[in-house]
Amino acid sequence: MTSLGINDHLSFMMQQRGGKSSWDSSACLYIPQSDASVLPSRSHSLAIKSLVQLCSVPCRCEERPNAEYMSHSGQIPVLAEGKTSSCGYDEITSRLQFHELLPSSELSSPSSQLDVKSFSALVHGKLLAAEVFSTWCIPENAKVNSVVYSKHLVWPLNLYLPYVKKRRARDMCLAIFSGCDADRIFSEAQEVCNVLSLKLGSSEFFIEGRPTELDALVYGHLQSILEVDAVLPDRRLVDCVSKHGNLVEFCARMCQRLVTQAYDGQAS
C-alpha cells in the first residue's frame, strides 16, 4: 500500500465531494510585517500573494507581526480559507489545486505542466537555499537581518530567535550543498538564474506564453532579491539576477500586470 501525498489527498477529497469546491470569498492571506520581513519570508509571501491574484479570487491580505507563529508548520504565508488554514507555498498551491484554480491546469500539454513543476522545484531548492544563506550565514548580512527580523520581538526572543534562524540556515545549506561555502552556493544560484533566463528567452511568460504559478513563484523570489538583497552589505545574490536583463524585465512586467489587475479589481 503506497502513501498518498497532500495533492493526492486533496484530489480524493474533491472527488468525494463531487467535483470543484467553491472558494470562500472571505479568505485572508496573512504575511509578516513588511518592516520585519527578511528575504526568504518576503519571497514566499510575494510569490503566494501574486499567485492568488493571478487566480482572480477574492482574498484579503493582512500583515501580522506574528504571522510566522500563526502557522502550524512555521511556513509562511498563512492562508485562511473556509474552515481550513494552509501554510507555506506547497500547502497553499495544493489548496488552490483543490479548488481547480491553478493556472497550469489550463496548459495544453502534459510536458508544459511538467516544466512548471520542474522549474518550480529548482527555485524552491537551490535558489531558496541561497537566499537563506545570504540572509543568515554571511556575517555582515546576518547582523542587519537580525535587527530587522527581531523588530517586533521582545527580550529575550529578539536575541534567541535570530540565533535559531542562523542555526537552521546552516543546517539547510549542509543538507543541500554539503557545506556553507559561499562561492559554491552563489555559483549554484547563478546557474539557476542562467537556466531561468534561458527558459524565458524573449517570451513574456515562462510556459506557453501565459502566466502560471511558475511565473508567480519566480517573480516573488527574483523581485524580492532585487529589492531586499540590493540594500545589504553583501550583494552577490542580487548580482546573480541583475546580470540577466530578460529576468529583470520580466519582474518589471509582472509588477505592472499585478498592479493593473489590482487596480481594475478595485474599480469594478
Side-chain angles (χ1 to χ4, degrees):
M1 182 177 178
T2 59
S3 61
L4 294 176
I6 186 169
N7 288 343
D8 300 307
H9 281 300
L10 289 172
S11 297
F12 174 75
M13 289 166 58
M14 188 168 65
Q15 291 170 5
Q16 292 296 99
R17 292 185 180 185
K20 184 176 180 180
S21 174
S22 60
W23 176 267
D24 184 355
S25 60
S26 64
C28 186
L29 187 68
Y30 297 101
I31 63 176
Q33 291 278 128
S34 57
D35 61 350
S37 183
V38 294
L39 178 56
S41 59
R42 183 182 175 90
S43 296
H44 286 307
S45 298
L46 183 56
I48 286 296
K49 185 178 177 181
S50 302
L51 175 56
V52 170
Q53 199 169 333
L54 287 178
C55 293
S56 299
V57 291
C59 184
R60 292 180 295 112
C61 184
E62 292 186 11
E63 293 187 358
R64 293 287 182 89
N66 64 335
E68 184 176 352
Y69 305 101
M70 293 169 64
S71 168
H72 59 75
S73 63
Q75 299 295 313
I76 51 175
V78 177
L79 173 67
E81 189 268 324
K83 296 181 179 180
T84 304
S85 92
S86 305
C87 307
Y89 183 85
D90 290 337
E91 283 192 14
I92 294 175
T93 52
S94 294
R95 188 69 188 168
L96 291 168
Q97 182 181 25
F98 169 64
H99 287 292
E100 297 182 0
L101 292 169
L102 285 184
S104 62
S105 63
E106 299 179 1
L107 293 174
S108 61
S109 70
S111 63
S112 293
Q113 294 179 350
L114 183 60
D115 279 349
V116 170
K117 294 181 180 180
S118 299
F119 284 96
S120 295
L122 194 62
V123 174
H124 257 310
K126 293 183 177 180
L127 186 59
L128 174 59
E131 292 176 20
V132 172
F133 176 82
S134 179
T135 301
W136 295 113
C137 295
I138 296 178
E140 54 267 40
N141 285 0
K143 184 177 181 180
V144 174
N145 287 313
S146 293
V147 174
V148 172
Y149 178 75
S150 61
K151 185 170 185 178
H152 299 290
L153 299 175
V154 298
W155 185 90
L157 294 178
N158 63 330
L159 301 177
Y160 174 68
L161 292 179
Y163 165 77
V164 172
K165 287 289 186 180
K166 295 173 188 176
R167 186 183 64 195
R168 290 177 178 173
R170 287 193 295 270
D171 292 343
M172 181 179 186
C173 291
L174 285 171
I176 295 178
F177 301 109
S178 302
C180 291
D181 180 75
D183 290 338
R184 179 188 172 187
I185 291 173
F186 288 124
S187 176
E188 296 276 7
Q190 182 63 73
E191 186 58 33
V192 173
C193 291
N194 292 344
V195 171
L196 291 173
S197 178
L198 184 63
K199 177 63 177 176
L200 179 63
S202 59
S203 301
E204 184 175 2
F205 303 108
F206 281 93
I207 309 291
E208 293 188 4
R210 61 195 305 171
T212 67
E213 56 267 32
L214 175 61
D215 297 277
L217 178 64
V218 173
Y219 169 69
H221 282 266
L222 298 191
Q223 183 67 21
S224 297
I225 290 172
L226 290 170
E227 291 179 355
V228 177
D229 218 52
V231 300
L232 294 176
D234 189 305
R235 302 178 69 257
R236 281 177 285 181
L237 188 56
V238 74
D239 290 340
C240 293
V241 179
S242 60
K243 65 177 57 177
H244 295 287
N246 64 336
L247 295 181
V248 176
E249 291 170 3
F250 164 79
C251 289
R253 286 196 306 271
M254 281 292 291
C255 182
Q256 182 60 45
R257 179 187 180 92
L258 294 169
V259 168
T260 301
Q261 186 174 338
Y263 176 80
D264 290 344
Q266 291 176 353
S268 60

